[in-house]
Amino acid sequence: QLAMEMVGFLPATRKQIFSLLSAILHLGNIRYKKKTYRDDSIDICNPEVLPTVSELLEVKEEMLFEALTTRKTVTVGERLIVPYRLAEAGTVRDSMAKSLYSALFDWIVFRINHALLNTKDLEESIKILSIGVLDIFGFEDYENNSFEQFCINFANERLQHYFNQHIFKLEQEEYRTEGISWHNIDYIDNTGCINLISKKPTALLHLLDEECNFPQASNQTLLDKFKRQHEGNSYIEFPAVMEPAFIIRHYAGKVKYGVKDFREKNTDHMRPDIVALLKSSKNAFICGLIGIDPVATFRWAVLRSYFRALVAFREAGKRHLEKKSGMTRKSPRTPLSDLQGTNTLNEKPQRDSFSVGWNGRTGRQGRLSSSGSMLEEDGIFVNPTSSKLLERAHGILMRNKNYKLKPSLPKHLLDVKSLKYLTSLTLHDRITKSLLHLHKK
């Protein structure tokens, strides 16, 4: 809490963050079961969790239930509602939780970067000064390795390649340029392994994406495609026995990966039904997380706040008029031209009398003076005769230990210029990247 406060997270924002984290945790507690009277339909074992999740996400409970148990498919001229299978429902639930957590994580990093942003960084002539924090992944090799280990180890390969380039290759080239004598350091270049996994158009990741788009694809067809494209590659091997697996020679050693669930986990993203559910949330914080463009979302939030304030002022004016509707005026209002004549106290005798109530607030008993200072019931405008009394009351109020000052506006508020700067600074600063990769099926 203290760390969040130091980087400018207001109490209301912290409450929204913890509410969303609570919703994600409760979402993971949802369990499914097959309906006894229908083989192709499912139900939720613990429906008592749904009200809690819907309240935290501020969405309708019935819409949440439909999004977690059925999917909507639009065909030519009709709209179908198809129930999930048991395994599919669990995948959709986990995808929703993981995507929300990922979007929240990116949003927190984004706001921290903005809190640390210097206004000089926005000037093109100033060189950007920054501190990068690298969370090194641990290289994983278990008895059964799947898509998660494949992604983590690929990240390790990229980090190792970055280390080789900057510590060995570029540094030694600089020594050679400056004529410094040193013993050449040999290192293992893992560029070939990285190209095997990520270089288009025949990389393993791109072949996997292709298989995910074919409805009739299977684990065997994926493995066969790997074999056809990389049979002679020294960085990949295939077991001699008929085993649905492949072996990659990483810089840290060989790792065997089973292709089971590779396709399912690669398409583990948010369905449009879930995105529509979250967009219907009454919580502006959640709606902002799933916005496509952070700049557009920010502009819409400003516009929405303006209209909300406008409506609030109008409603307050209506209530004020309703409150005053029972009062009768002794004489008509003073013309505006007369009120604008002077700001000094007129020497004419005042026709109004003023009084101070038991609570120290000044009330109006007559109409406004034609040239005197205005005085309203809420004490916004006062005349000189009562201003000293109000100043004294204000001093007593300020000395009261229980009196708390209203929080001032936080520094480093977002604006369009700083928002555009941060979103274009790095590739991963698009807040909702995990929510935009929708199901293609």
Side-chain angles (χ1 to χ4, degrees):
Q1 292 263 13
L2 180 59
M4 297 174 75
E5 184 179 354
M6 290 176 64
V7 294
F9 286 5
L10 297 176
T13 304
R14 298 199 295 269
K15 183 179 179 181
Q16 289 175 331
I17 292 174
F18 291 125
S19 295
L20 182 55
L21 289 174
S22 180
I24 293 171
L25 293 175
H26 282 287
L27 190 63
N29 294 332
I30 295 177
R31 297 290 179 265
Y32 296 95
K33 65 179 179 180
K34 288 185 177 181
K35 288 186 176 180
T36 55
Y37 57 90
R38 290 186 63 181
D39 295 335
D40 58 344
S41 185
I42 61 170
D43 202 356
I44 294 180
C45 300
N46 47 351
E48 66 276 3
V49 182
L50 288 179
T52 304
V53 178
S54 65
E55 182 181 355
L56 291 170
L57 295 179
E58 296 189 35
V59 297
K60 294 183 179 179
E61 185 178 344
E62 55 271 16
M63 292 180 62
L64 177 63
F65 177 80
E66 291 178 2
L68 292 175
T69 56
T70 59
R71 67 172 179 267
K72 297 179 179 64
T73 304
V74 180
T75 60
V76 180
E78 60 181 346
R79 183 182 182 186
L80 303 177
I81 298 179
V82 183
Y84 286 125
R85 297 187 182 91
L86 190 62
E88 291 176 340
T91 301
V92 170
R93 175 204 60 202
D94 296 343
S95 300
M96 180 178 177
K98 287 188 287 186
S99 297
L100 278 174
Y101 185 84
S102 177
L104 178 61
F105 181 86
D106 289 346
W107 182 88
I108 291 175
V109 172
F110 183 86
R111 293 307 297 258
I112 292 175
N113 285 337
H114 189 274
L116 301 177
L117 181 65
N118 195 317
T119 53
K120 293 183 179 179
D121 294 336
L122 302 178
E123 301 175 9
E124 297 181 357
S125 59
I126 302 297
K127 185 178 179 181
I128 298 175
L129 301 177
S130 61
I131 300 176
V133 180
L134 176 62
D135 182 12
I136 298 179
F137 304 88
F139 193 85
E140 295 186 358
D141 182 12
Y142 302 123
E143 184 176 353
N144 296 312
N145 300 294
S146 187
F147 187 68
E148 294 86 356
Q149 285 71 43
F150 179 74
C151 294
I152 291 174
N153 292 339
F154 172 60
N156 274 287
E157 289 285 353
R158 295 297 300 266
L159 291 175
Q160 182 66 24
H161 181 264
Y162 182 88
F163 181 83
N164 291 341
Q165 290 291 313
H166 288 77
I167 302 301
F168 293 118
K169 184 178 179 180
L170 297 180
E171 194 72 19
Q172 292 188 104
E173 287 180 357
E174 186 174 350
Y175 288 172
R176 189 180 299 108
T177 303
E178 296 180 1
I180 300 175
S181 59
W182 88 103
H183 297 288
N184 188 58
I185 301 175
D186 296 327
Y187 60 94
I188 300 175
D189 188 4
N190 62 341
T191 305
C193 184
I194 294 177
N195 292 339
L196 168 69
I197 299 174
S198 62
K199 187 177 181 180
K200 296 181 179 180
T202 60
L204 299 183
L205 289 176
H206 296 284
L207 296 177
L208 177 60
D209 290 339
E210 291 179 2
E211 285 296 295
C212 292
N213 293 327
F214 290 113
Q216 304 301 326
S218 63
N219 295 334
Q220 189 59 42
T221 59
L222 175 63
L223 194 61
D224 293 340
K225 183 171 286 189
F226 285 175
K227 287 182 179 180
R228 287 195 304 270
Q229 294 292 339
H230 302 286
E231 186 72 42
N233 196 315
S234 60
Y235 287 94
I236 188 171
E237 302 175 6
F238 299 94
V241 296
M242 294 298 295
E243 184 180 358
F246 61 95
I247 303 171
I248 292 183
R249 183 168 62 85
H250 292 284
Y251 75 92
K254 294 182 178 181
V255 179
K256 180 190 290 186
Y257 301 98
V259 296
K260 182 183 178 183
D261 297 333
F262 255 58
R263 294 176 300 105
E264 289 77 6
K265 293 175 180 178
N266 190 49
T267 55
D268 185 14
H269 300 297
M270 295 276 276
R271 288 194 59 86
D273 303 340
I274 302 295
V275 176
L277 171 70
L278 296 175
K279 283 185 177 181
S280 68
S281 173
K282 297 179 181 179
N283 191 325
F285 178 73
I286 295 177
C287 292
L289 285 181
I290 63 173
I292 295 177
D293 184 4
V295 177
T297 302
F298 173 75
R299 284 174 171 167
W300 171 245
V302 173
L303 187 63
R304 185 173 61 245
S305 300
Y306 167 77
F307 282 109
R308 284 179 176 175
L310 184 64
V311 171
F313 276 114
R314 285 183 175 178
E315 292 297 325
K318 290 179 181 179
R319 290 193 299 268
H320 182 73
L321 289 177
E322 292 173 358
K323 184 178 178 182
K324 295 290 184 180
S325 60
M327 299 181 61
T328 58
R329 296 183 179 274
K330 296 180 180 179
S331 59
R333 287 182 178 271
T334 304
L336 181 62
S337 58
D338 294 345
L339 293 177
Q340 292 176 340
T342 178
N343 290 329
T344 60
L345 181 63
N346 198 306
E347 296 299 330
K348 291 182 179 180
Q350 297 288 336
R351 288 183 291 178
D352 297 339
S353 59
F354 300 90
S355 64
V356 179
W358 63 270
N359 58 352
R361 296 182 63 181
T362 308
R364 179 175 62 185
Q365 296 177 346
R367 74 172 184 86
L368 293 174
S369 175
S370 60
S371 59
S373 301
M374 291 183 295
L375 179 67
E376 294 288 342
E377 278 194 344
D378 53 7
I380 297 176
F381 303 105
V382 296
N383 67 350
T385 58
S386 60
S387 60
K388 293 182 179 180
L389 181 62
L390 290 180
E391 288 178 2
R392 182 181 176 186
H394 180 69
I396 296 174
L397 183 64
M398 292 296 292
R399 289 195 296 271
N400 189 351
K401 295 182 179 180
N402 296 327
Y403 177 77
K404 295 182 179 179
L405 288 173
K406 293 183 178 180
S408 58
L409 288 174
K411 297 180 179 180
H412 308 298
L413 289 175
L414 279 173
D415 55 24
V416 175
K417 185 176 181 181
S418 61
L419 198 63
K420 285 183 177 180
Y421 170 79
L422 288 175
T423 51
S424 62
L425 187 60
T426 56
L427 295 177
H428 62 272
D429 270 342
R430 189 172 69 178
I431 298 175
T432 55
K433 64 180 185 301
S434 58
L435 295 176
L436 299 177
H437 299 167
L438 304 177
H439 260 286
K440 297 180 181 179
K441 296 183 180 179

